[in-house]
Amino acid sequence: MPQPRIAIVGAGSIGCYVGGKLLAANVADVVLVGRPRLRDEVAAHGLTVKDFDRSQTVPAERARVVTEISDPAVAACDAVLVCVKSAQTAEVAAALAGVLRGDVIVASLQNGVRNADVLRAALGQRRVLAAIVSFNVVSRGNGLFHRAMSGPLMIEAATGPAARAMIDALAGAGIPVEEKSDLAPDQWTKLVINLNNAISALSGAPTQQLLLSPGYRKILGAVAREALDVLRAAEIKPARLRGVPLHVMPAVMRLPTPLVKLVTRAQMRVDPEARSSMWEDLTRGRLTEVDYLNGEIVRIAERAGVKAPLNQRIVDLIHAAEKKGPGSPGLDPAALWSALSG
């Protein structure tokens, strides 16, 4: 069988890591659709993907980057991985609808719970697969993308040849892949976990520091507890997180730090460099996805007739930070708690 041709639209940290793994394993012909900055960075340094224990470098001549979805290389693909921010999904879906032909499969490797549906509205129900990226990737500059957290890529099970070729290529690249017939409960779980992204962005603290600081854990637990109360009121049941019921998460955040270390170590591996993508957006002066994460909880709360004041305040604080320009507010635990509860 020939290698599948895979386009990665919105080649940021996640997209470049996945694309780099596919190219390094030589299991797919990949084209990255990204900003001119990425094109120039890869042309100068190649594309390097780093895991916990090793790194792999793809030379510049093999790492093809284009800047427009209308590029002929995208139209020639068998599969498309959409990695853009949620606010761009509708625009990207419309652009892909004008380019894709035949049985091209599209997978949404995005945060939030509604992106796959937005893509399906433009591209057709059978063509689009939802997916969840459970790991974190940090852009280090000079073409280096570092996976800083363990976890699988979960994707809707599919049987068509294009989908199978894409999924098999991802697994062949050494990316842990889990196929699920019903991904919705896991999407809600990932949404609750992703509420932490804004806390990382507002504090500037890496994920490990958030987990080891009692002050930050107090905030993580309170925000998660509020979100879970909202989902319960809306009769939405999230999946277990690596076998653990999600409702125990706030209680875990209240444990002494040594016990939190043991619990989190059993659940996942977290590199000291792990930070949220929202932190990266703020530091680079880009709009964030807060409306599709914490803002999603606020919307569900309104529909269910309940309140979500902590998540609403987080949305307000992130938007205020966006308006101030590049950089994280750098709020310590006391300042952040005061800002959320005041």
Side-chain angles (χ1 to χ4, degrees):
M1 292 288 292
Q3 289 186 348
R5 297 164 296 181
I6 299 177
I8 298 179
V9 176
S13 295
I14 293 294
C16 285
Y17 173 82
V18 172
K21 292 290 285 184
L22 290 166
L23 286 167
N26 197 29
V27 293
D29 181 12
V30 176
V31 57
L32 302 168
V33 184
R35 296 182 175 91
R37 176 182 59 80
L38 174 68
R39 178 195 59 199
D40 298 341
E41 186 176 328
V42 171
H45 304 283
L47 179 61
T48 299
V49 289
K50 184 175 181 294
D51 294 293
F52 291 100
D53 303 316
R54 69 166 181 164
S55 63
Q56 300 163 283
T57 297
V58 179
E61 58 269 20
R62 289 192 58 226
R64 182 172 32 162
V65 182
V66 301
T67 58
E68 301 292 338
I69 291 175
S70 58
D71 190 282
V74 178
C77 282
D78 306 302
V80 177
L81 306 181
V82 176
C83 302
V84 298
K85 299 297 183 182
S86 297
Q88 300 172 286
T89 304
E91 178 185 353
V92 164
L96 287 173
V99 169
L100 301 184
R101 300 290 182 269
D103 297 325
V104 177
I105 200 74
V106 177
S108 168
L109 274 62
Q110 301 169 273
N111 290 325
V113 295
R114 293 181 283 139
N115 288 300
D117 289 337
V118 173
L119 291 167
R120 289 176 182 126
L123 301 171
Q125 189 73 20
R126 297 177 60 187
R127 173 177 276 178
V128 177
L129 301 177
I132 298 170
V133 180
S134 299
F135 50 84
N136 169 268
V137 177
V138 178
S139 172
R140 299 288 305 280
N142 295 333
L144 171 59
F145 296 88
H146 176 199
R147 181 168 69 97
M149 189 178 294
S150 63
L153 171 62
M154 292 185 278
I155 192 165
E156 284 185 299
T159 57
R164 286 278 17 122
M166 177 192 69
I167 293 170
D168 290 347
L170 290 167
I175 298 170
V177 176
E178 292 182 6
E179 295 183 64
K180 296 205 169 187
S181 58
D182 181 11
L183 206 60
D186 293 283
Q187 287 181 298
W188 290 111
T189 295
K190 180 68 187 303
L191 176 67
V192 174
I193 299 302
N194 275 345
L195 301 179
N196 302 340
N197 289 6
I199 299 169
S200 171
L202 291 168
S203 66
T207 302
Q208 214 174 68
Q209 183 180 341
L210 294 180
L211 293 173
L212 298 182
S213 163
Y216 284 132
R217 288 204 308 275
K218 174 184 176 180
I219 298 169
L220 296 174
V223 171
R225 184 167 55 250
E226 179 180 273
L228 291 169
D229 288 344
V230 168
L231 295 184
R232 191 177 303 112
E235 299 183 345
I236 295 171
K237 187 175 181 180
R240 290 173 173 247
L241 177 63
R242 296 179 173 91
V244 178
L246 205 58
H247 69 260
V248 308
M249 178 180 169
V252 170
M253 294 296 101
R254 294 194 297 269
L255 293 174
T257 298
L259 290 179
V260 172
K261 282 185 178 180
L262 290 175
V263 172
T264 55
R265 191 178 299 152
Q267 284 286 301
M268 67 186 75
R269 188 173 176 183
V270 180
D271 190 283
E273 297 181 24
R275 294 178 185 266
S276 76
S277 58
M278 196 177 296
W279 168 83
E280 184 175 320
D281 289 337
L282 276 191
T283 58
R284 293 191 176 186
R286 300 193 298 241
L287 294 179
T288 72
E289 292 185 293
V290 71
D291 289 331
Y292 300 88
L293 301 176
N294 305 80
E296 189 73 42
I297 296 298
V298 174
R299 278 190 292 274
I300 296 168
E302 290 173 351
R303 291 201 300 267
V306 296
K307 302 291 185 181
L310 289 177
N311 282 279
Q312 179 62 70
R313 187 64 181 138
I314 284 174
V315 172
D316 296 339
L317 289 170
I318 290 290
H319 285 321
E322 290 171 342
K323 291 177 182 177
K324 287 186 69 174
S328 164
L331 299 175
D332 64 27
L336 182 52
W337 181 251
S338 176
L340 292 177
S341 58

